[in-house]
Amino acid sequence: MNKDSDRPSNVVWHQSTVSRKLREEKNQHKSVVLWFTGLSGSGKSTLAHAVEEKLYQQGLNTFVLDGDNVRHGLNKDLGFSDQDRKQNIRRISEAAKLMLEAGVITLTAFISPFKQEREMARSLMPHGDFIEIHCFCPLEVCETRDVKGLYKRARNGEIKDFTGISSPYEVPVKPELRIDTNTLTLEEGAEQVIALLRDRHILPEGKIK
Ligand SMILES: Nc1ncnc2c1ncn2[C@@H]1O[C@H](COP(=O)(O)OP(=O)(O)OP(=O)(O)O)[C@@H](O)[C@H]1O
Ligand SMILES: [Mg+2]
């Protein structure tokens, strides 16, 4: 059962009386999806968690949906074929959308290499609620970092469909933000993300330093 037309007619949407707006008012900040994308080792997780920590310390409601963690549970039945990567992103997007409705500042850290999937994720959210952040870092640098030893294994042919080596990464053409993690410090990168949230009035006025 995977097509809209297959959905039984007895599945009916129940409207919540506690709206997103009410939740945002209670939280005293808006919710948003910060969608980090980039090569493995480009710094998505590091940056997303650094931003989350800063926001959390200021009392904001946050959550990071991180690639490997989600693959341990919700998406543990999925591999890395093009089809499974698409399904991975589809489920994460839906999860992120639920968190947006729940009033949470949601940060996602997935390679999400395909433009079409990122656009699909964006199209699920109300306009302006999806902020695409490209963690840019040259492949050679990511490969030198090789945080998880995956590039080495991919070069040895032990991992197939590895982004940047044997599977493409489609560079975002117009992300809301592009952060060069090779030249900026982690602190500078995190500050750029927070500045964007401030500019867009997602954070409460004067609260976030
Ligand atoms: N300015 C920076 N911003 C973020 N990370 C940086 C920066 N400079 C160096 N690094 C380092 O780069 C590495 C990035 O690894 P990280 O696990 O965050 O990548 P990732 O994009 O989440 O990869 P994956 O897709 O495999 O999960 C970390 O070891 C981090 O300390
Ligand atoms: Mg990561």
Side-chain angles (χ1 to χ4, degrees), residues 41 43-46 66-68 109-110 148:
K44 303 177 297 296
S45 298
T46 306
D66 202 333
D68 285 351
F110 300 89
K148 304 173 186 164

Side-chain angles (χ1 to χ4, degrees), residues 38-47 66 68 109-111 135 145 147-148 150 180-182 184-187:
L39 293 172
S40 177
S42 61
K44 303 177 297 296
S45 298
T46 306
L47 194 53
D66 202 333
D68 285 351
F110 300 89
I111 298 175
C135 287
R145 290 177 177 172
V147 185
K148 304 173 186 164
L150 297 177
D180 186 339
T181 67
N182 189 33
L184 292 180
T185 64
L186 177 57
E187 187 61 30

Side-chain angles (χ1 to χ4, degrees), residues 38 59 66 68 70 77 95 113 126 152:
D66 202 333
D68 285 351
V70 171
D77 56 327
K152 189 156 177 269

Side-chain angles (χ1 to χ4, degrees), residues 36 44-46 48-49 64-76 78 80 88-89 92 107-112 148:
F36 293 82
K44 303 177 297 296
S45 298
T46 306
H49 286 279
V64 179
L65 285 165
D66 202 333
D68 285 351
N69 302 6
V70 171
R71 281 185 178 274
H72 277 290
L74 179 67
N75 291 350
K76 70 176 171 191
L78 302 177
F80 291 88
N88 185 40
I89 299 300
I92 292 152
L107 306 95
T108 72
F110 300 89
I111 298 175
S112 42
K148 304 173 186 164

